């Protein structure tokens, strides 16, 4: 593999974007039919919004042989290293590197953020404490298959095989073998939070060595004089003053860490208890040893156990299966079934998605009103947390005393309503599902979304606190030790995947929902007219439903723009009171100018020879002057003539 092959997902993404910024059609060279398809597929691979890929591509435009002007005069610091590394790389070599990057799994790679290692240890040790040590554990065939695939991918020289469903036998290329009992698999799973915490420190330690002028932490003077004394609470006095200064400067200037991460890395060099690192940092096995200690293993011929734990930690699918197999215990009859045989059945999780203005929220409201019910409704946003969605302890005043009580979030309110009215449907509506990191907001709750054919949840999770359990028991006048979805709770969510600033929905989360796409429908929508000034400076009016259909068809007829359907304007994009026949509603113009055509294609709709800014567009529309392009006016004129002809035909028929 190339020595310039990126080691982290951010550098990998920026390298791909640099290739996309080259002249010609680099997206076609990578196998994508359109630029939009490239942005969406690459975004999915890296777990970022498609607009992020496009913006990073655009940031390089001004520094390549592309005919695009770009949108930044100076290259952002985060992109400078990529540009300096690859600006002289031959086009074919850069293409091969980009292709290799896109063949890797980056969305499941280890996070680069430096986490609080004490929190990571506590999270792993809590998982370890829940493993029943004296009960036999036999992984399912599905889990074994994942383990084999993960191990083979991580160490191609070893030969792993499952023996009797109870052990993993590993044979090295030298003919040595190691047996890992199935009893240890839950422990490999349990240390995942700590693995995700410690590996970025391992990577940054190597970056530190290079910043100090050494190839690795375990070579020459680096090994003996710098990294061997670490970690140590007195490292700043143990090491030479010049080395201390160099380390601090490198942490500040070379490791690309924010202020909190810098403080954590300095603590990593000094506090063994906080980091969980027992061996000195010049050793090759210090991270493996720390993982094994956190997992409670006796460290003896156990390197491959640590490697297995690291490998498994990278797999979301393994995490999910183990969480089900170990943590989700059923309580005999399903909780949903405890509502009784007369309980309303058919509860489901549904995502309604489509272009903005296709009536997603209206569709949900129609279903709920038809049932004669009211919904518990919430809107996801980037700052939303699991505690907001589920509920948490909040203070309130009782006289002069401050008391803390459980305050339910929308999920718990909807769940309680469902249990209180078992013979009727209950609804939880989530608007803008992908404007928050949905899987993180749901947390453990997302495992509840698995349901049987009646809508009863297949799995349970524990209440996060005694207070939440007590609140729920008091609310429904019954005691439950675990949470499960009843058959009468419907969870509806709306989203527009093409919006700017949204978060990707991972496959494990999304497959737990039925998904219903709402297409564009020009037979519906509000009644009313828009107006525009034609090429002869005459004011023309056109019915909104006809206008929005003509507009969308005009946009998608230009294949170079590659606009997907879910980015077009839906028929309900405007309300009836906005269609006064005086002009085109401003929010339509703003969406076209600032969102849909922000980077290319404005001349498809607007007269960009005269209009360079949205401020200028707003002024011209206020003055009642022409602002549409010749090509779009021609399309609108044809539509107006067709409407007039149809009206005339109808009139003649009526006579």
């Amino acid at each position: 593999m190339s020595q310039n092959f990126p080691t982290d997902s951010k550098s990998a993404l920026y390298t791909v974007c640099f290739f996309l910024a080259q002249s010609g059609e680099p997206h076609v060279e990578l196998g994508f039919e359109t630029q939009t398809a490239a942005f969406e597929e690459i975004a999915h691979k890296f777990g970022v919004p498609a607009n992020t890929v496009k913006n990073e591509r655009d940031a390089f435009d001004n520094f390549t042989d592309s005919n695009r002007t770009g949108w930044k005069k100076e290259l952002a610091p985060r992109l400078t290293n990529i540009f300096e590394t690859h600006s002289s790389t031959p086009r074919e070599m850069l293409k091969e590197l980009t292709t290799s990057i896109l063949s890797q799994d980056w969305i499941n790679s280890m996070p680069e953020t430096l986490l609080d290692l004490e929190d990571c240890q506590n999270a792993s040790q809590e998982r370890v404490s829940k493993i029943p040590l004296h009960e036999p554990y036999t992984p399912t065939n599905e889990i074994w298959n994942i383990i084999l695939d993960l191990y083979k991918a991580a160490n191609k020289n070893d030969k792993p095989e499952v023996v009797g469903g109870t052990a993993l036998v590993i044979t090295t290329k030298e003919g040595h073998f190691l047996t890992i009992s199935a009893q240890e698999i839950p422990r490999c799973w349990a240390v995942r939070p700590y693995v995700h915490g410690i590996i970025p420190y391992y990577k940054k330690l190597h970056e530190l060595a290079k910043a100090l002028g050494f190839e690795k932490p375990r070579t020459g003077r680096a090994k003996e004089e710098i990294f061997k004394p670490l970690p140590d609470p007195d490292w700043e006095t143990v090491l030479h003053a010049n080395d201390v200064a160099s380390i601090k400067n490198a942490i500040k200037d070379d490791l690309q860490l924010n202020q909190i991460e810098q403080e954590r890395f300095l603590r990593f060099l000094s506090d063994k208890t906080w980091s969980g690192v027992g061996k000195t940092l010049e050793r090759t096995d210090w991270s493996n040893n720390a993982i094994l200690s956190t997992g409670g293993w006796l460290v003896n011929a156990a390197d491959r156990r640590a490697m297995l734990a690291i490998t498994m930690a990278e797999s979301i699918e393994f995490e999910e299966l183990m969480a089900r197999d170990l943590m989700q215990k059923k309580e005999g009859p399903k909780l949903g079934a405890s509502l009784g045989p007369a309980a309303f059945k058919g509860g489901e999780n549904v995502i309604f998605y489509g272009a903005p203005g296709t009536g997603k929220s209206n569709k949900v409201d129609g279903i709920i009103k038809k049932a004669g019910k009211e919904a518990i409704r919430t809107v996801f946003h980037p700052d939303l947390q699991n505690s907001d969605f589920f509920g948490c302890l909040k203070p309130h005043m009782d006289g002069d005393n401050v008391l803390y009580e459980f305050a339910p979030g929308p999920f718990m309110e909807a769940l309680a309503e469902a249990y209180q009215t078992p013979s009727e449907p209950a609804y939880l509506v989530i608007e803008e599902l992908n404007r928050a990191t949905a899987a993180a907001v749901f947390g453990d709750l997302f495992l509840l979304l698995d349901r049987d054919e009646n809508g009863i949840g297949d799995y349970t999770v524990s209440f996060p606190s005694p207070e939440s359990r007590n609140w729920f028991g008091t609310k429904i006048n019954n005691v439950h030790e675990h949470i499960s979805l009843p058959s009468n709770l419907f969870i509806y969510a709306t989203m527009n995947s093409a919006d700017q600033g949204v978060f990707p929905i991972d496959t494990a989360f999304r497959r737990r929902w039925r998904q219903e796409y709402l297409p564009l429908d020009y037979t519906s929508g509000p009644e009313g007219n828009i107006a525009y000034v034609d090429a002869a400076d005459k004011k023309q009016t056109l019915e909104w439903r006809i206008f929005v259909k003509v507009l969308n068809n005009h946009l998608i007829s230009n294949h170079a723009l590659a606009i997907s359907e879910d980015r077009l304007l839906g028929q309900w994009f405007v309300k009836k009171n906005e269609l006064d026949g005086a002009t085109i509603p401003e929010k339509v113009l703003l969406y076209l100018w600032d969102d849909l055509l922000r980077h290319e294609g404005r001349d498809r709709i607007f007269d960009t020879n005269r209009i360079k800014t949205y401020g200028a567009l707003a002024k011209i529309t206020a003055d009642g002057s022409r602002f549409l392009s010749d090509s779009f006016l021609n399309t609108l004129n044809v539509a107006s003539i067709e409407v007039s002809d149809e009206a005339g035909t109808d009139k003649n028929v009526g006579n």
Side-chain angles (χ1 to χ4, degrees):
M1 190 171 288
S2 168
Q3 61 178 352
N4 291 325
F5 194 87
T7 58
D8 64 275
S9 59
K10 290 182 181 179
S11 298
L13 174 60
Y14 299 155
T15 303
V16 172
C17 292
F18 180 70
F19 179 75
L20 290 175
Q22 305 301 306
S23 62
E25 296 185 316
H27 62 280
V28 175
E29 296 179 50
L30 296 177
F32 301 105
E33 293 185 1
T34 65
Q35 291 184 34
T36 300
F39 297 150
E40 292 175 349
E41 184 63 24
I42 292 168
H44 179 74
K45 180 170 286 292
F46 285 93
V48 298
N51 203 49
T52 296
V53 181
K54 182 176 176 60
N55 286 345
E56 300 296 4
R57 188 282 307 266
D58 292 348
F60 281 115
D61 282 341
N62 220 20
F63 303 87
T64 68
D65 58 354
S66 163
N67 59 3
R68 293 180 299 274
T69 58
W71 55 278
K72 286 194 176 182
K73 295 181 180 179
E74 296 182 359
L75 198 60
R78 67 181 183 278
L79 306 178
T80 302
N81 183 57
I82 302 300
F83 177 77
E84 292 176 349
T85 302
H86 297 297
S87 58
S88 59
T89 301
R91 174 68 171 264
E92 193 60 29
M93 290 182 63
L94 186 59
K95 174 188 171 182
E96 291 179 3
L97 175 62
T98 304
T99 302
S100 297
I101 290 172
L102 293 178
S103 69
Q104 304 294 312
D105 182 9
W106 295 99
I107 196 170
N108 291 331
S109 62
M110 293 294 181
E112 298 302 316
T113 304
L114 297 187
L115 304 175
D116 185 312
L117 291 178
E118 184 175 36
D119 289 345
C120 296
Q121 287 184 80
N122 292 338
S124 288
Q125 288 166 359
E126 181 180 355
R127 288 161 64 127
V128 169
S129 69
K130 294 178 180 179
I131 298 172
L133 295 178
H134 304 294
E135 295 180 13
Y137 175 71
T138 304
T140 64
N141 289 335
E142 191 175 11
I143 290 174
W144 272 130
N145 289 336
I146 291 176
I147 292 172
L148 288 172
D149 289 343
L150 292 172
Y151 190 93
K152 290 174 183 176
N155 196 328
K156 295 180 174 58
N157 293 323
D158 287 357
K159 178 184 177 182
E161 57 183 327
V162 178
V163 177
T166 61
L168 180 68
V169 176
I170 299 169
T171 306
T172 69
K173 65 178 182 179
E174 295 85 9
H176 302 300
F177 74 93
L178 170 71
T179 300
I180 298 178
S181 169
Q183 294 297 107
E184 298 188 50
I185 301 303
R187 200 169 293 267
C188 290
W189 162 82
V191 297
R192 186 176 192 255
Y194 183 69
V195 171
H196 275 191
I198 198 64
I199 294 303
Y201 285 86
Y202 181 89
K203 294 178 180 179
K204 290 298 179 184
L205 189 72
H206 280 254
E207 290 182 26
L208 175 61
K210 290 185 178 180
L212 296 176
F214 304 106
E215 182 181 355
K216 296 177 181 178
R218 54 180 182 273
T219 56
R221 192 176 78 83
K223 173 181 177 180
E224 295 300 327
E225 299 181 21
I226 298 179
F227 294 104
K228 191 171 185 177
L230 301 175
D232 189 304
D234 300 318
W235 72 276
E236 292 187 46
T237 57
V238 172
L239 269 60
H240 192 280
N242 290 339
D243 291 330
V244 172
S246 297
I247 289 173
K248 289 186 174 182
N249 288 335
I251 292 172
K252 180 181 178 182
D253 300 329
D254 300 320
L255 301 192
Q256 297 183 333
L257 302 175
N258 60 40
Q259 185 61 41
I260 293 176
E261 290 175 321
Q262 291 177 33
E263 294 171 0
R264 287 175 177 169
F265 195 82
L266 288 170
R267 190 172 184 181
F268 164 74
L269 299 179
S270 62
D271 192 339
K272 296 180 181 180
T273 302
W274 175 83
S275 68
V277 176
K279 291 192 175 183
T280 51
L281 300 183
E282 94 288 357
R283 297 178 60 109
T284 60
D285 61 348
W286 67 262
S287 58
N288 284 1
N289 179 268
I291 292 169
L292 294 168
S293 296
T294 299
W297 279 287
L298 176 64
V299 182
N300 182 22
D303 275 353
R304 280 176 171 76
R305 290 175 173 84
M307 190 195 73
L308 188 62
I310 293 171
T311 302
M312 291 176 180
E314 296 178 352
S315 171
I316 292 176
E317 189 176 5
F318 178 76
E319 163 72 10
E320 179 185 332
L321 288 171
M322 290 299 296
R324 286 187 191 178
D325 211 27
L326 291 171
M327 307 299 290
Q328 314 309 314
K329 303 297 184 183
K330 297 182 180 179
E331 305 179 327
K334 293 181 180 179
L335 287 182
S338 68
L339 296 182
F344 192 95
K345 294 179 172 56
E348 59 177 345
N349 323 307
V350 186
I351 294 175
F352 296 90
Y353 69 106
T358 48
K360 299 179 286 292
S361 297
N362 188 60
K363 175 70 176 285
V364 171
D365 287 344
I367 296 173
I368 296 171
K369 287 179 180 178
K370 186 176 180 180
K373 300 289 292 183
E374 296 289 336
I376 305 295
R377 191 179 297 269
T378 186
V379 180
F380 275 16
H381 56 82
D383 294 329
L384 194 71
Q385 300 180 23
N386 175 258
S387 58
D388 300 316
F389 185 56
F390 180 85
C392 60
L393 289 178
K394 291 186 176 180
H396 72 96
M397 297 301 298
D398 182 13
D400 294 332
N401 299 320
V402 179
L403 300 180
Y404 286 83
E405 290 185 355
F406 178 75
F411 177 85
M412 284 299 284
E413 289 180 349
L415 187 68
E417 180 181 324
Y419 272 85
Q420 288 173 310
T421 57
S423 61
E424 302 174 10
Y427 297 93
L428 171 62
V429 177
I430 302 170
E431 302 281 7
E432 308 290 355
L433 177 69
N434 57 339
R435 288 200 173 275
T437 51
V441 171
F442 269 79
D444 288 345
L445 299 178
F446 96 95
L447 291 171
L448 300 180
L449 298 176
D450 278 320
R451 303 184 187 231
D452 66 13
E453 64 277 4
N454 292 318
I456 300 173
D458 282 329
Y459 299 99
T460 70
V461 297
S462 300
F463 285 92
S465 67
E467 291 81 5
S468 61
R469 183 179 64 246
N470 293 339
W471 177 89
F472 187 70
T474 301
K475 192 74 173 178
I476 69 171
N477 197 28
N478 199 353
V479 177
H480 287 291
E481 293 298 321
H482 296 81
I483 306 170
S484 180
L485 292 190
S487 62
N488 65 327
L489 180 58
F490 293 75
I491 305 178
Y492 292 155
T494 66
M495 73 175 197
N496 176 18
S497 57
D499 256 347
Q500 295 191 54
V502 298
F503 294 88
I505 305 291
D506 64 66
T507 304
F509 182 83
R510 193 162 185 166
R511 69 179 177 81
R512 289 174 162 80
W513 301 72
R514 180 171 70 80
Q515 294 164 61
E516 184 171 329
Y517 181 72
L518 272 64
L520 299 168
D521 178 11
Y522 304 115
T523 63
S524 64
E527 296 181 354
N529 297 329
I530 60 91
Y532 63 93
V533 177
D534 65 15
D537 288 330
K538 292 183 179 181
K539 186 174 182 179
Q540 305 287 347
T541 61
L542 194 62
E543 185 182 348
W544 160 254
R545 296 179 186 178
I546 296 174
F547 171 77
V548 72
K549 179 179 180 181
V550 172
L551 171 64
N552 287 335
N553 288 340
H554 184 72
L555 288 168
I556 62 178
S557 65
N558 188 327
H559 299 296
L561 289 180
I563 296 176
S564 58
E565 182 178 335
D566 60 355
R567 299 183 66 209
L568 299 174
L569 279 77
Q571 64 278 8
W572 294 100
F573 193 89
V574 297
K575 298 183 182 297
K576 184 175 181 179
N577 61 6
E578 297 172 285
L579 300 172
D580 55 7
T583 185
I584 299 173
E586 184 174 349
K587 71 180 183 183
V588 173
L589 302 179
L590 181 62
Y591 178 70
L592 292 170
W593 182 277
D594 208 34
D595 289 343
L596 189 60
L597 305 174
R598 181 172 187 171
H599 299 291
E600 57 184 332
R602 283 176 179 164
D603 59 341
R604 186 76 176 157
I605 301 297
F606 302 103
D607 183 2
T608 53
N609 291 325
R610 295 188 302 123
I611 303 170
K612 303 300 182 183
T613 67
Y614 185 75
L617 174 62
K619 185 177 185 303
I620 288 178
T621 55
D623 293 341
S625 302
R626 173 194 164 185
F627 57 86
L628 297 176
S629 67
D630 288 338
S631 63
F632 188 37
L633 283 175
N634 290 336
T635 305
L636 287 175
N637 289 337
V638 171
S640 297
I641 293 171
E642 291 175 350
V643 171
S644 299
D645 289 345
E646 290 178 5
T649 301
D650 291 342
K651 184 177 181 180
N652 292 333
V653 171
N655 289 334

